[in-house]
Amino acid sequence: MEPAWYPDSIDSNRLRWWNGATWTDEIRQVFPVDPAICERCGRAKRVPRFGTPPPCRWCESDVNGFMEMWRSQAWQVLTTSGPRGTGWNELWIALRFQRIHETSGREALRPLAIGYLERMVAFAFADDEIEQHELDSFQQAVTDLQLAVDLGVAQSRVNELRQRMLRGRSLTQVRAGELPRVQRSDLHLEADETPYIDVNAVQIKYTASGPRHNSGRIIGSSKKFRFVGAGAGTELPWAKIVSIASEYGNIIISATTARGGGTYSVPDPEYVAAVLEGALRIAKRLVLAPGQRDTRSIPPNIKAEVWQRDGGKCCQCGDSHYLEFDHVIPLSRGGATSVGNLQILCRRCNLEKGARI
């Protein structure tokens, strides 16, 4: 039998607590089934003329105080061991022992469940890489939480988070070398050159008088990166490119030559950057060895400290949806991966910040 209150074998008007291994000395009284009587303490409720009887005024304060502590414990369990295991089971046992209906626990847990899934996704995206085990862990967490909580109207938010994880996993696979192939008759490349991407782009050059924009196309292949614009274009072999990143709605290319790098605005910068980075990794054999950490990776303890400091909300607008770890001073400008240089921003505020840099 699972831990719970059961009818006492000696006195049918009493309940005795079974802790899962043995009977204890904890005893509670059985009260008549009556909507005007509290089933927990046996005192009379205030019965209105119409509608459902309100909560027992005698128990309400005790239950509210316990539930406040229970929510705190539930969040600690979620962020340490997740919605399964001994700690998780003990949460529900504690409700039974207090004779608080599980419905109260499910209602209290719903916002915590969404917050926990948001936290999982933000932590997973902190290094821009979604590994298969991270996607599997997210899927398992959703399954476990749905068994305990009626997510109801929050289901659409869960679906958004799932789609974000699936897209992140897809982009990670592209970066790892699972590249698309472009079939266009007007692309004139070398005979042994394989095109991976061809997309409209705007090159942004920053000058003393302000940014200058040059419209054109980005073409990434097995041999080179090309920007073909109305004026002078750019053509770089992968050996001269240092890094490629998606940052604040643009892609940033760093090269070993002064004229090579640049900032480009494209319709889907995350995807374009993933394809170009995948091509770069293959050309320069930059595939990470097992267990090796990407230089963009944020250590778990730093992520947890930043999340706790910022309260799991955007520092700018207070939103708790589509959250991201942001470097106050961007990595591309020498910013450190430290608690002091990291903050939580929602996607909208993160993109707006990029427009101000």
Side-chain angles (χ1 to χ4, degrees):
M1 296 188 298
E2 64 180 8
W5 293 104
Y6 294 97
D8 189 5
S9 60
I10 299 175
D11 185 349
S12 60
N13 292 320
R14 298 188 308 183
L15 299 173
R16 186 178 292 272
W17 180 255
W18 170 261
N19 65 10
T22 185
W23 294 105
T24 70
D25 294 331
E26 297 288 346
I27 294 174
R28 298 291 184 271
Q29 188 70 31
V30 177
F31 302 106
V33 179
D34 187 334
I37 296 177
C38 175
E39 63 179 8
R40 187 170 180 269
C41 71
R43 294 184 176 96
K45 294 183 179 180
R46 297 187 302 269
V47 181
R49 286 174 178 254
F50 306 100
T52 305
C56 172
R57 60 176 177 169
W58 308 101
C59 292
E60 189 172 13
S61 178
D62 290 342
V63 170
N64 289 342
F66 176 80
M67 290 306 298
E68 183 176 351
M69 179 184 67
W70 189 87
R71 283 190 290 269
S72 177
Q73 291 176 339
W75 181 250
Q76 184 176 2
V77 169
L78 282 172
T79 55
T80 52
S81 57
R84 55 170 48 203
T86 302
W88 181 252
N89 293 334
E90 287 177 350
L91 287 172
W92 303 100
I93 293 172
L95 284 181
R96 290 186 218 125
F97 184 80
Q98 294 293 328
R99 299 182 72 181
I100 298 174
H101 201 277
E102 283 193 359
T103 301
S104 298
R106 296 177 189 277
E107 291 175 355
L109 193 60
R110 187 180 297 115
L112 298 182
I114 299 303
Y116 170 64
L117 293 176
E118 291 275 7
R119 183 180 187 270
M120 281 191 75
V121 173
F123 276 38
F125 272 92
D127 59 359
D128 292 330
E129 301 281 343
I130 303 299
E131 303 298 340
Q132 186 62 47
H133 71 87
E134 292 175 313
L135 177 59
D136 292 342
S137 295
F138 174 82
Q139 300 277 34
Q140 185 63 57
V142 171
T143 300
D144 292 339
L145 287 170
Q146 286 176 330
L147 293 174
V149 185
D150 179 12
L151 296 175
V153 294
Q155 188 62 55
S156 60
R157 195 163 177 180
V158 174
N159 291 337
E160 289 177 11
L161 292 170
R162 181 186 288 109
Q163 291 304 313
R164 187 181 174 198
M165 287 292 289
L166 289 171
R167 173 174 163 83
R169 177 59 187 153
S170 176
L171 293 179
T172 298
Q173 290 173 302
V174 171
R175 289 190 193 97
E178 298 182 21
L179 297 170
R181 298 291 189 272
V182 175
Q183 300 293 333
R184 285 189 57 168
S185 57
D186 59 342
L187 280 180
H188 303 291
L189 307 178
E190 298 176 19
D192 58 345
E193 195 172 358
T194 303
Y196 298 134
I197 195 166
D198 180 3
V199 63
N200 291 331
V202 176
Q203 184 184 49
I204 306 172
K205 289 188 175 182
Y206 297 94
T207 66
S209 59
R212 294 172 54 190
H213 299 81
N214 181 22
S215 298
R217 292 159 57 195
I218 283 178
I219 301 170
S221 73
S222 56
K223 287 192 173 184
K224 297 178 181 179
F225 165 84
R226 295 177 176 87
F227 174 74
V228 182
T234 300
E235 183 173 295
L236 286 173
W238 294 116
K240 292 187 177 180
I241 294 180
V242 177
S243 66
I244 299 167
S246 170
E247 195 172 272
Y248 306 121
N250 298 317
I251 61 172
I252 299 175
I253 297 179
S254 301
T256 57
T257 59
R259 296 181 58 189
T263 300
Y264 300 86
S265 175
V266 293
D268 188 348
E270 290 179 332
Y271 176 72
V272 175
V275 174
L276 295 176
E277 188 174 350
L280 176 66
R281 286 184 176 184
I282 289 177
K284 301 180 76 170
R285 291 181 171 85
L286 294 176
V287 178
L288 295 177
Q292 185 179 352
R293 199 173 70 187
D294 192 284
T295 55
R296 295 168 298 191
S297 180
I298 303 174
N301 61 312
I302 292 181
K303 286 188 283 190
E305 187 172 345
V306 173
W307 188 273
Q308 179 70 20
R309 183 199 66 200
D310 295 346
K313 297 179 180 180
C314 175
C315 289
Q316 298 294 327
C317 69
D319 194 3
S320 59
H321 187 38
Y322 216 120
L323 301 176
E324 301 175 333
F325 283 88
D326 169 66
H327 287 76
V328 178
I329 301 174
L331 283 172
S332 60
R333 302 191 181 189
T337 300
S338 63
V339 173
N341 193 49
L342 286 168
Q343 62 182 350
I344 301 295
L345 293 180
C346 67
R347 168 53 63 91
R348 180 174 60 85
C349 289
N350 206 357
L351 292 176
E352 288 177 356
K353 173 192 171 183
R356 298 192 299 269
I357 292 179

